[in-house]
Amino acid sequence: MHPRRTATALTCTALLLAANTAVAADTAPDLARFYEQKLTWGDCAAEEQPRGGTALKGMECSRLTVPIDYAKPDLGTLALAVGRYRATGADTGRKGSLVFNFGGPGTSGVTTLAEARDTYGSLGRRYDLVSFDPRGVGRSSPVDCGKEAEEELAEGDGAPRTPSGDRRLDAGALVKEAEAVAAACARHTGELLPHVGTVNVSRDLDVLRQALGERKLNYMGISYGTRLGSVYAAQFPDRSGRLVLDAVDTLTESSRVSGLHQARAFQQAFDTFLATCAERYPEDCPLGGTVADATRTVDRVVASLSEAPLKAPDGTAFTVADLRGAMSMSMYVPQAWGALAFGIAEIDRNRDPSVLVELNELADAPGNADEAILAVNCADDPDRTPLTEEELAAAEKEFDQASPDFGRDMVGGAFSCTGWPAGTDYIRKLENISGPEVLLIGTRGDPATPYRWTEETAKRLGKAVVLRYEGEGHGAYANSPCVREKADAYLVDGTLPDDGTSCPAVPPGVPDQDLPETLPDA
C-alpha cells in the first residue's frame, strides 16, 4: 500500500518544508484507531523484497497501518511490512516479542531478520523475533528518487557522486548535484518524504509494540538502530522495556564531524588489518611479511587501478573506487579480511579483480537503501552550512589527513544534505532519559560507529550501562560469544553487566580466503 500522492502542482519545495518534529507520546483520540489495530499474520509469499533479496522461509508476515503525519493523521496512511519468527522454546518460557532494527538507515528489517535468524537463535528460543521495514524503506512505501538520482547515489555510496582519482571537488557542481537529487526525491516520493525521519519511525515502533500486545517494548538496535532505540527511550520512557543498542550511533554530531570520526576509524581498522595480516601471519599473508611490504602492495594496486581500470568477469570496469569499496566494506566484518588480502594480492600478481568483485556483490543491498539513508539522515540533521569552495577545500584536507586510504571518498557524504531543508533538532537534544537503564555495546575497533560514540551516547542518555568489546568489526553481538552471553542475560533474565565490563577480542583469521556469507548493510 502506498500513501496518497499529491497533485503535480504541489511543488517539491512545499513538500520538503513540512515539519519533521516530535509529537507528544500519548495516544490522542485521533490516533486511537492505529493503537487499537491487531496484526493478522500469514505467510510471506506476497512480501518478496523489491529488486531481489533473501527468501523469507519460515517467517510470518503482516502489515501495520500508521499515519503519514502523526500531527495530522487524516492526511493519509501507509502500511509497514512486519515479519516475525515465533519462539521455538516451550510456551512456559516465552518472553513475548523482541523487536529489531538492523541499521542503515535504509536496511530492510524483514529481509535482514531472515538473514540473521541463526545469529539470534538463542534469543529466538524465548522471544518471538520481530522486525519491520521502516517507513520509506524496502516494502514500506519506499523513498523513490528516480532512476537518474538512484544511479548517482549508488555510485556515490549514498551521497552525490564525486570525481575519482586526484581530481579536486568543485563546490558549485557538488551543490548542483545535491540539489537535483533532493528535488528528484521530493518529486518522486511525494508527501511521505518530510515524514521519514527517526522521530516518526519511533512513533511507528510504539504502534507496533501495542499491536504485538506488549505493555513494554523489548528491543535490539544495531548501528542506526541504536539511534532509533535512543529516540524511543526518550519519547516513550514508560513504555521502554529491555533495550540493547549495539554499535552505537552518534546523537549529536553533524554529518561533517561524524564523517571525520568515521574516516579516522576506518583508517585505524585498515591499519589493524594490514598489521594483523603481516605480523600475525608473516609466512602466509599474501600482501607481504611486514607491514611495510603489505602497505607497498596496497599502494601499488591503488596506483595501477588509478592509471588503468581492470575488466571484471562481467565485462564492466573495476576501478580504484571499486577497490576502496571492497576495502571499506571488509572493515565491517573481520571474517572478510582474508578474502580482502587475497583479492588485493590477486590484482597485484595476476591483474585479476574477481575476488574483490565478489566481495562488493556481497555488500550490495537490495531495495532502496541509498535513497532511504539519504532521506532519513537529512531528516535527522538540523545543520545546513552553505557550501563554498573554501569550505570544501578545507574539508578535503581534513578528510585526507584523517584517512589517506578512505578520506577522499567520504568528503561528499559530509555535504549530502545540501539542498534539503533542515531536519529536526529533537535528536540533538536527547538527554537524561527517565526510563529503565539501556545496555550499550561498543566495539573498540568499529570503523562505522567509533567507540567514542558509545561513551558519548551513554552520557547523553544518563541511565545507561556500557559493555565494551575489545575486537574489530561493526557490531559485537555477532562476533563475540562473551557479548552474546551478557546481552542475552539482560534480555532474557533482566541481568545487566556492570558498567564498563569488557569482553576480549576474537582474533580475525586473515589467511582464510573464503568469502563470508554476507556483509552488513549498516
Side-chain angles (χ1 to χ4, degrees):
M1 174 179 177
H2 295 283
R4 291 181 293 128
R5 300 302 177 104
T6 56
T8 55
L10 188 58
T11 67
C12 300
T13 302
L15 283 170
L16 283 169
L17 288 177
N20 183 12
T21 55
V23 184
D26 60 291
T27 57
D30 58 349
L31 297 177
R33 70 184 188 275
F34 301 107
Y35 275 88
E36 290 170 356
Q37 66 185 300
K38 303 297 181 183
L39 293 174
T40 301
W41 298 97
D43 67 54
C44 298
E47 295 291 4
E48 292 300 323
Q49 172 69 45
R51 309 176 208 178
T54 301
L56 308 179
K57 294 180 180 178
M59 182 182 286
E60 296 177 319
C61 287
S62 187
R63 285 273 169 170
L64 179 76
T65 301
V66 295
I68 293 173
D69 184 349
Y70 277 91
K72 300 175 181 178
D74 292 334
L75 178 66
T77 63
L78 61 150
L80 306 182
V82 184
R84 78 171 176 185
Y85 290 109
R86 296 296 302 270
T88 59
D91 288 344
T92 55
R94 291 184 68 251
K95 305 292 292 185
S97 297
L98 177 63
V99 180
F100 289 81
N101 181 284
F102 295 99
T107 298
S108 164
V110 174
T111 297
T112 309
L113 181 61
E115 296 172 342
R117 183 182 186 183
D118 291 344
T119 299
Y120 300 96
S122 57
L123 293 169
R125 288 192 287 271
R126 304 291 292 275
Y127 279 103
D128 292 347
L129 305 183
V130 178
S131 194
F132 65 108
D133 286 10
R135 55 173 62 209
V137 173
R139 304 165 180 84
S140 299
S141 299
V143 171
D144 179 7
C145 298
K147 185 177 180 180
E148 184 176 346
E150 176 191 335
E151 291 175 352
E152 179 165 329
L153 292 172
E155 290 182 23
D157 195 21
R161 58 184 163 218
T162 54
S164 60
D166 296 327
R167 290 173 55 198
R168 290 289 304 274
L169 299 177
D170 177 86
L174 188 58
V175 168
K176 184 178 179 180
E177 290 182 8
E179 289 177 341
V181 169
C185 295
R187 184 169 60 253
H188 288 276
T189 302
E191 60 194 352
L192 172 63
L193 190 62
H195 306 288
V196 297
T198 302
V199 168
N200 284 309
V201 177
S202 175
R203 303 296 310 271
D204 297 341
L205 189 55
D206 195 56
V207 175
L208 176 60
R209 171 200 59 78
Q210 181 71 18
L212 291 168
E214 302 294 345
R215 189 174 64 87
K216 291 182 180 290
L217 176 73
N218 294 320
Y219 172 86
M220 178 174 281
I222 299 93
S223 193
Y224 161 77
T226 68
R227 189 196 312 171
L228 175 59
S230 298
V231 171
Y232 186 90
Q235 285 188 305
F236 302 99
D238 295 337
R239 302 175 195 176
S240 296
R242 297 169 186 173
L243 308 184
V244 175
L245 309 183
D246 183 12
V248 182
D249 197 1
T250 179
L251 300 177
T252 59
E253 292 180 355
S254 68
S255 57
R256 180 168 174 175
V257 173
S258 64
L260 278 170
H261 287 148
Q262 285 181 314
R264 294 188 184 100
F266 270 101
Q267 189 64 52
Q268 179 182 333
F270 191 69
D271 291 345
T272 300
F273 154 72
L274 293 177
T276 300
C277 187
E279 294 177 354
R280 186 183 291 271
Y281 310 101
E283 300 299 323
D284 299 313
C285 179
L287 300 177
T290 68
V291 174
D293 287 341
T295 301
R296 278 191 289 269
T297 300
V298 173
D299 290 345
R300 195 161 52 242
V301 170
V302 169
S304 69
L305 288 174
S306 298
E307 182 176 339
L310 296 175
K311 183 178 289 188
D314 64 356
T316 60
F318 185 88
T319 68
V320 69
D322 296 313
L323 168 66
R324 288 191 174 121
M327 288 162 50
S328 62
M329 287 306 302
S330 297
M331 295 305 98
Y332 284 73
V333 183
Q335 293 86 343
W337 286 11
L340 176 64
F342 180 68
I344 294 173
E346 278 293 282
I347 293 177
D348 186 48
R349 297 169 185 167
N350 302 315
R351 305 294 289 168
D352 179 6
S354 57
V355 174
L356 299 191
V357 169
E358 289 187 68
L359 269 177
N360 283 337
E361 288 174 350
L362 283 173
D364 288 340
N368 69 323
D370 291 325
E371 294 110 312
I373 193 171
L374 177 64
V376 174
N377 283 341
C378 293
D380 288 357
D381 187 349
D383 294 329
R384 294 294 185 273
T385 303
L387 181 57
T388 64
E389 292 292 349
E390 292 77 15
E391 184 177 6
L392 183 57
E396 286 186 286
K397 183 177 180 180
E398 287 177 328
F399 277 79
D400 280 339
Q401 290 176 342
S403 173
D405 287 300
F406 303 104
R408 176 171 177 74
D409 293 334
M410 300 175 73
V411 176
F415 303 102
S416 58
C417 291
T418 299
W420 295 70
T424 179
D425 64 353
Y426 178 82
I427 300 171
R428 295 281 178 88
K429 296 178 180 179
L430 292 189
E431 194 171 21
N432 296 324
I433 61 170
S434 60
E437 287 185 301
V438 179
L439 177 59
L440 304 184
I441 305 171
T443 297
R444 282 288 195 190
D446 194 320
T449 51
Y451 180 74
R452 61 182 294 156
W453 292 352
T454 302
E455 295 182 329
E456 291 171 359
T457 298
K459 292 177 182 178
R460 298 291 298 183
L461 296 180
K463 299 178 71 174
V465 170
V466 171
L467 172 62
R468 185 175 64 253
Y469 174 52
E470 303 292 349
E472 304 296 318
H474 185 47
Y477 187 94
N479 294 324
S480 166
C482 169
V483 169
R484 285 196 294 276
E485 178 185 355
K486 295 183 186 307
D488 287 2
Y490 177 48
L491 288 168
V492 174
D493 301 321
T495 304
L496 277 166
D498 292 336
D499 185 36
T501 295
S502 174
C503 282
V506 177
V510 171
D512 184 3
Q513 298 172 8
D514 293 335
L515 293 168
E517 292 184 6
T518 60
L519 290 176
D521 301 308

